[in-house]
Amino acid sequence: QGQLVESGGGLVQPGGSLRLSCVGSGFTFGTYDMNWYRQRPGKEREWVATFTHFGRTEVSDSVKGRFAISRENAKNAVYLQMDSLTPEDTAVYYCHAFELLKPEYWGQGTQVTVSS
């Protein structure tokens, strides 16, 4: 059974940075597209960034220029570097693994709070 475990969340001041990590196990990590989502207080879960299995990256307009996604298949890991954080980035951040016709996986989420 596959699983994803996120880490790296916490409390940071506005303008600060955090790096989230997500490590997968129990599935063929390298063939999956890896995504980050977030759920802000009182809002629905929203897509943040993708790193496809063939190397394409994309981030949402709301974080473009501030967030970057990367992955290390040798470590079964995907990362989200978050810079210039604002209080509007406060959310639970989730890692997600997707491959067509295969089971998809979600992490348990990691809380990011941006506050002075």
Side-chain angles (χ1 to χ4, degrees):
Q1 181 70 12
Q3 65 173 353
L4 297 169
V5 179
E6 301 105 332
S7 60
L11 174 64
V12 63
Q13 292 189 342
S17 298
L18 279 176
R19 187 188 192 218
L20 305 183
S21 300
C22 170
V23 177
S25 62
F27 64 99
T28 310
F29 185 88
T31 64
Y32 274 69
D33 292 345
M34 297 303 300
N35 307 293
W36 285 99
Y37 286 77
R38 68 183 180 185
Q39 187 161 17
R40 293 186 276 187
K43 304 246 177 116
E44 293 191 352
R45 192 173 297 189
E46 61 178 341
W47 168 75
V48 175
T50 293
F51 201 125
T52 70
H53 67 283
F54 53 86
R56 183 175 66 88
T57 62
E58 191 172 358
V59 296
S60 71
D61 288 343
S62 63
V63 304
K64 193 166 291 183
R66 301 187 299 119
F67 290 14
I69 187 170
S70 60
R71 70 189 284 172
E72 286 186 84
N73 287 342
K75 296 183 178 181
N76 284 2
V78 63
Y79 310 99
L80 187 67
Q81 177 66 42
M82 306 186 296
D83 299 322
S84 302
L85 286 160
T86 75
E88 289 67 41
D89 296 314
T90 294
V92 179
Y93 285 74
Y94 296 91
C95 181
H96 173 249
F98 176 83
E99 182 177 355
L100 196 61
L101 303 179
K102 296 279 183 69
E104 64 179 313
Y105 303 103
W106 288 93
Q108 81 286 355
T110 186
Q111 176 70 48
V112 171
T113 302
V114 184
S115 175
S116 55

